[in-house]
Amino acid sequence: MDAAARLFSERGYHGTSMQHLGQALGLQRGSLYAHIGSKEELLFDVVNQGAERFLGMARHAASSGEPAAARLRALLVGHVSTAAQHLEASTVFLNEWRYLSPVPRAQIQAKRDLYETVVRRIISDGVAAGEFDPGVNVAMAGRLVLSAGNWIYTWYHPDGALSASAIGAELFDLILNGLAKEGPA
Amino acid sequence: MDAAARLFSERGYHGTSMQHLGQALGLQRGSLYAHIGSKEELLFDVVNQGAERFLGMARHAASSGEPAAARLRALLVGHVSTAAQHLEASTVFLNEWRYLSPVPRAQIQAKRDLYETVVRRIISDGVAAGEFDPGVNVAMAGRLVLSAGNWIYTWYHPDGALSASAIGAELFDLILNGLAKEGPA
């Protein structure tokens, strides 16, 4: 699965052949098929493991009992850290999952929807508790949080100046406080 | 180029063969090669046109002479509208460009860097003018704006409830004002 995550993230799912996988593992194509069912099963396994990793982290962040801002912060920091720790698998989860055929794709879509629901619930909790502005568009705010976290895979470098959790914290502070000097207009 | 943008966005660059392109255009492979040099040249042309489209829009938004917040708003609204109007080409520009070989890839990277410089300059103008909080991390705020705009290609639907420019405006308001009720902590 590590080899598949690396190859699918570098070359794309369609650009990776069973021969590439065999070469990466020092196995003949025939021996490879003794271990895995098909290239698509391997894609599903990498994508599904990615989905479970993000969902597990989100459930943990959401259930801490802390105020909504602290929970949303933990979720975004956790999201960026998870993506950074498993950069290749996360790239495949975020990018190549769309090449799954309809049934496995729908299974992954359900997990993505669930993740988004967790994010939106924290935001609507924060609005209900008076922590967040009552005018916040909850769905759009959820998308902004996910966009910030998901786009990471295109620019994060392990040797960059900021750690993944520092990046998550800075993005969260921007989303919480905004650019404007005087607060909400 | 329209057919290539559609096929590359649906199937990925590596998942699209010259045969697919020929079928989409009702041309034999041989006739296709009379019109284009190679599949990679076609990828470069689609990606480069996407880069020029985003850069042209950004230069226009940046040079209006309005306050920084209005310029950044115009840029994000323009970004989302451009992505939505050319959804397939933008998907290829944002996603498949990484499969270019080193020299054409560096040409596109330079245009992406220039685009990011335009975004950051508007934000630092806003900080210098006292419109934006002096504590804003300009590079990170630029990435948040780009993340919000770029991730659009994964969730925008032309038949959704909000127009592309309304989505851009709502994302901008969130980035300007933040979620918090009381403004910057």
Side-chain angles (χ1 to χ4, degrees), chain A residues 9 95 98 133 137 170, chain B residues 9 95 98 133 137 170 179:
Chain A
S9 74
N95 220 9
R98 61 207 179 101
D133 193 281
N137 177 331
E170 292 222 14
Chain B
S9 75
N95 219 10
R98 62 207 178 100
D133 192 281
N137 178 330
E170 292 222 14
L179 292 176

Side-chain angles (χ1 to χ4, degrees), chain A residues 58-73 75 116-134 136-139 141-142 176, chain B residues 179-181:
Chain A
R59 285 195 180 106
H60 183 77
S63 62
S64 70
E66 291 193 80
R71 280 181 283 151
L72 192 61
R73 187 182 203 278
L75 186 139
E116 191 154 356
T117 302
V118 172
V119 174
R120 290 186 189 185
R121 196 168 300 153
I122 298 175
I123 298 169
S124 48
D125 282 357
V127 172
E131 283 180 71
F132 297 157
D133 193 281
V136 161
N137 177 331
V138 172
L176 183 69
Chain B
L179 292 176
K181 202 173 180 181

Side-chain angles (χ1 to χ4, degrees), chain A residues 143-176:
Chain A
R143 285 195 182 113
L144 180 61
V145 170
L146 292 178
S147 301
N150 287 342
W151 197 244
I152 285 289
Y153 84 89
T154 67
W155 65 269
Y156 175 77
H157 292 287
D159 50 356
L162 290 178
S163 69
S165 48
I167 291 170
E170 292 222 14
L171 287 169
F172 176 74
D173 287 345
L174 280 165
I175 293 171
L176 183 69

